[in-house]
């Protein structure tokens, strides 16, 4: 079946195409009775406005964009993005907005996508994720005038509205718990060093250890994958003085790290305590279940979506601070070996 057009509606209603256009766009020029009849016929035929024509007329695209600079396989294995997107969709669906998603392999390609989407009026705004400490995308988006919400700490988001949570507070709470158990050698398997939230976590970990009188912690930066998480865990555990507690920057690496402990014949938590960042089903189906820093990720995505839609509507939107990830103890943490 061909897509119904304004001409089809005009023939059924016995009016001109101009009258149909007036009625469907709620403009004066037709009676209330005719307007209602035309809209009823349009609904019966399943007519929808042409997005390209709407763009040419200056109307909103009714879509927002998300570009992720990671392999496409990331979405299949990392629960964070799926939960974050589910939160975004919970808000967009109520407003009849669509989410355009694209995976890229570089910041340059990411900026090309933003320029194309904005130039072709495909989106009304975008989410900027994986914020870097000195991020060239921020100034580029500011120059475009593209409504944007940056997911990351305000100190790296420039003039863009920031949606963030205090990762430093999460680190401090976790380290204090481990210290209370008696741990003195704490290490971390971290994400990429150039990410803004990684830098916040690095600084907070050093400060928390200094507060407790512990030596400067060892931090190994990775790409968030299970392979790199396992490799980093192996490196830390075969050292002359291995740590008694390991903190991982995501759940995938924490599960991979748990496999390495089994490979080396270590008992968790008797020989080594493990903590994952961002609770997910993965952290609870392994044995022992992993202690984790937990937050409501769908609520985080929903807050970002509400902020972006407010920006698109022309409102002034302040930075949005979500609840920080709180430590949840489970079977993978206990007092260190004597």
């Amino acid at each position: 079946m061909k897509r119904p057009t304004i001409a089809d509606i005009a023939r059924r209603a016995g009016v001109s195409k101009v009258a149909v256009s007036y009625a469907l766009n709620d403009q004066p020029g037709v009676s209330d009775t005719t307007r209602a009849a035309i809209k009823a016929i349009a609904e019966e035929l399943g007519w929808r406005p042409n997005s390209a024509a709407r763009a040419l007329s200056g109307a909103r695209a009714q879509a927002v964009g998300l570009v992720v600079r990671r392999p496409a396989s990331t979405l299949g294995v990392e629960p964070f993005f799926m939960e974050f997107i589910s939160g975004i969709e919970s808000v967009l669906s109520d407003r009849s907005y669509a989410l355009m998603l694209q995976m890229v392999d570089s910041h340059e390609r990411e900026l090309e996508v933003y320029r194309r989407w904005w130039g072709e009026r495909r989106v009304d705004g975008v989410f900027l994720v994986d914020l870097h400490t000195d991020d060239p995308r921020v100034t580029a988006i500011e120059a475009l005038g593209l409504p944007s919400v940056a997911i990351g700490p305000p100190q790296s988001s420039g003039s863009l509205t920031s949606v963030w949570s205090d990762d430093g507070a999460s680190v401090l709470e976790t380290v204090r718990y481990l210290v209370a158990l008696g741990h003195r050698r704490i290490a971390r398997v971290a994400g990429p060093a150039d990410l803004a939230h990684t830098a916040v976590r690095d600084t907070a970990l050093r400060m928390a250890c200094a507060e407790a009188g512990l030596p400067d912690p060892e931090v190994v930066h990775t790409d968030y994958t299970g392979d790199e998480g396992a490799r980093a865990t192996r490196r830390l555990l075969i050292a002359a003085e291995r740590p008694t507690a390991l903190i991982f920057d995501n759940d995938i690496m924490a599960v991979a790290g748990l496999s390495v402990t089994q490979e080396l014949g270590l008992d968790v938590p008797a020989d080594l305590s493990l903590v994952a960042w961002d609770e997910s089903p993965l952290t609870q189906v392994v044995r022992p279940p992993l202690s984790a820093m937990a937050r409501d990720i769908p609520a985080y995505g929903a807050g970002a979506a509400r902020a972006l839609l407010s920006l698109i509507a022309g409102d002034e939107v302040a930075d949005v601070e979500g609840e920080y990830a709180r430590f949840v103890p489970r079977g993978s943490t206990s007092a260190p070996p004597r």
Side-chain angles (χ1 to χ4, degrees):
M1 294 178 64
K2 71 182 185 71
R3 185 193 303 270
T5 66
I6 285 180
D8 297 327
I9 299 170
R11 277 193 297 272
R12 282 281 299 273
V15 298
S16 68
K17 289 190 290 185
V18 173
V20 173
S21 178
Y22 286 161
L24 295 177
N25 290 288
D26 290 318
Q27 295 177 346
V30 294
S31 69
D32 291 342
T33 302
T34 301
R35 188 188 310 279
I38 288 172
K39 286 188 173 183
I41 293 170
E43 182 67 26
E44 179 188 338
L45 294 177
W47 177 86
R48 294 293 182 270
N50 183 289
S51 58
R54 286 174 61 85
L56 288 173
S57 70
R60 287 181 181 157
Q62 291 296 117
V64 294
L66 171 62
V67 182
V68 181
R69 188 179 66 91
R70 297 201 192 177
S73 57
T74 297
L75 291 182
V77 298
E78 189 165 351
F80 172 85
F81 273 114
M82 295 311 297
E83 292 186 41
F84 183 71
I85 289 172
S86 74
I88 290 174
E89 287 285 9
S90 70
V91 173
L92 297 186
S93 60
D94 287 342
R95 311 280 187 90
S96 297
Y97 255 80
L99 176 66
M100 294 184 65
L101 173 66
Q102 187 157 338
M103 312 295 285
V104 296
D105 57 9
S106 69
H107 278 171
E108 291 73 22
R109 286 202 58 200
E110 184 176 347
L111 286 172
E112 287 174 9
V113 173
Y114 292 141
R115 292 187 183 104
R116 185 177 74 251
W117 280 354
W118 188 232
E120 296 175 357
R121 298 185 181 181
R122 290 176 177 264
V123 297
D124 299 322
V126 296
F127 302 99
L128 182 64
V129 297
D130 286 340
L131 205 60
H132 285 57
T133 48
D134 185 15
D135 202 319
R137 297 173 299 167
V138 171
T139 52
I141 288 175
E142 288 171 337
L144 284 174
L146 171 60
S148 306
V149 165
I151 312 302
Q155 61 266 32
S156 299
S157 63
S159 66
L160 304 183
T161 296
S162 169
V163 175
W164 66 294
S165 62
D166 188 351
D167 283 1
S170 304
V171 171
L172 182 60
E173 182 175 300
T174 301
V175 170
R176 284 176 174 171
Y177 180 85
L178 293 172
V179 169
L181 289 176
H183 290 276
R184 305 291 298 171
R185 294 195 304 276
I186 299 172
R188 180 164 139 259
V189 178
D194 54 357
L195 292 182
H197 67 263
T198 302
V200 169
R201 296 176 186 184
D202 288 349
T203 301
L205 181 62
R206 287 193 298 270
M207 292 178 62
C209 288
E211 173 193 86
L214 305 186
D216 208 29
E218 184 164 5
V219 177
V220 182
H221 293 101
T222 72
D223 62 0
Y224 279 135
T225 63
D227 287 344
E228 283 297 305
R231 190 172 293 114
T233 303
R234 204 172 285 114
R235 167 184 156 184
L236 290 166
L237 296 185
I238 63 175
E241 280 200 5
R242 68 170 181 248
T244 60
L246 275 181
I247 300 171
F248 293 85
D249 266 17
N250 73 356
D251 47 1
I252 299 294
M253 295 195 297
V255 171
L258 178 61
S259 297
V260 171
T261 65
Q262 295 164 352
E263 165 194 321
L264 295 175
L266 297 175
D267 184 88
V268 176
D271 298 321
L272 178 72
S273 288
L274 303 182
V275 178
W277 201 303
D278 279 335
E279 182 183 46
S280 75
L282 283 177
T283 63
Q284 299 179 53
V285 297
V286 294
R287 290 293 177 269
L290 296 173
S291 298
M293 283 167 272
R295 57 178 168 169
D296 190 338
I297 298 172
Y300 196 47
R306 284 191 291 269
L308 183 55
L309 292 181
S310 294
L311 283 173
I312 292 168
D315 301 333
E316 286 194 19
V317 182
D319 293 337
V320 180
E321 182 179 1
E323 184 174 323
Y324 72 88
R326 299 182 183 275
F327 181 76
V328 178
R330 292 203 181 90
S332 67
T333 47
S334 72
R338 292 186 181 278

